Amino acid sequence: MTATSGAETMTGRERYVKALLGEPVDKVAVGSPTSLATYEQMRVLGIEWPDAHYNADSIALLAERSYTESGFDTIAPYFRIIRGAAALGAPIDWGSDPWEFDKTTGKIVTGPRMPAVKPPNPWVVPDDITIPSDFLEQREAKAIIDAVKILRGKYPVSY
C-alpha cells in the first residue's frame, strides 16, 4: 500500500501490519521476513561462525541491525529455513571454513561456506511427516525463540 500524506505517525509494527493488510500507512513500510545478517556484520560485531545460527545472543545482535542500522520497520531473527530442517532432525553440516581477508583492504575474500542439509526421504503421505515432541527445545528452534525474547526485551512491541 502506498503512503498517505497527512496520516499520523505510526510505529514500525503498525506500519508494517497495515501495509500487509493493504491499509493506508504514513510512509512506505520496509521489512523482511528473514534477517539481513552479513559476514561483514558478523566480523564487526565479533560473532563467530556458526554461532550466528544457534546462539541466541548472536542471532539477536545480528537481527536488530536491520532495524537500528538500515531503518527497517521489522526485526527478523530468522536467517534461514535450514533451522527448521535442523529442528526436525535433518543432519546439518554447519560448515567451519575460516574467514579469509585481503590483508591490504581488510575486506572479506571468503567466509564460511553455507550450511548444508542432508535431505531426508521425500514425504509421500501425511503420515510420513513427524514433528519431534521436543521441537521447540531443539537447539536451533530454541535459539530463535530465545533471540525473540531478547529482542522483545530491548524493543517492546508497540501498537
Side-chain angles (χ1 to χ4, degrees):
M1 177 83 342
T2 57
T4 59
S5 60
E8 65 181 64
T9 302
M10 299 175 176
T11 65
R13 178 183 173 82
E14 289 172 327
R15 181 178 306 112
Y16 197 73
V17 170
K18 286 185 177 286
L20 287 174
L21 296 173
E23 297 177 8
V25 293
D26 60 340
K27 62 182 183 178
V28 175
V30 179
S32 175
T34 60
S35 174
L36 303 177
T38 65
Y39 290 143
E40 289 82 3
Q41 290 172 348
M42 288 175 65
R43 183 169 186 229
V44 167
L45 298 171
I47 295 172
E48 298 294 327
W49 186 273
D51 285 355
H53 289 282
Y54 54 75
N55 177 289
D57 291 318
S58 296
I59 293 167
L61 188 58
L62 282 165
E64 72 183 340
R65 304 282 289 188
S66 61
Y67 181 74
T68 61
E69 301 294 320
S70 300
F72 276 38
D73 293 309
T74 59
I75 302 174
Y78 191 79
F79 301 144
R80 306 192 54 160
I81 60 171
I82 200 166
R83 290 174 193 247
L88 288 170
I92 308 297
D93 176 355
W94 288 104
S96 60
D97 298 344
W99 298 97
E100 292 183 24
F101 301 94
D102 180 313
K103 293 184 195 283
T104 58
T105 65
K107 292 191 177 191
I108 296 172
V109 177
T110 67
R113 64 183 153 72
M114 300 311 307
V117 178
K118 181 180 180 199
N121 293 331
W123 295 330
V124 178
V125 296
D127 286 343
D128 291 344
I129 303 168
T130 58
I131 298 174
S133 60
D134 65 345
F135 177 81
L136 296 178
E137 292 302 317
Q138 296 284 332
R139 177 179 69 172
E140 291 76 9
K142 187 167 181 359
I144 295 170
I145 293 167
D146 291 345
V148 169
K149 288 176 184 176
I150 291 167
L151 292 164
R152 283 253 171 133
K154 288 178 81 171
Y155 306 100
V157 176
S158 56
Y159 295 92

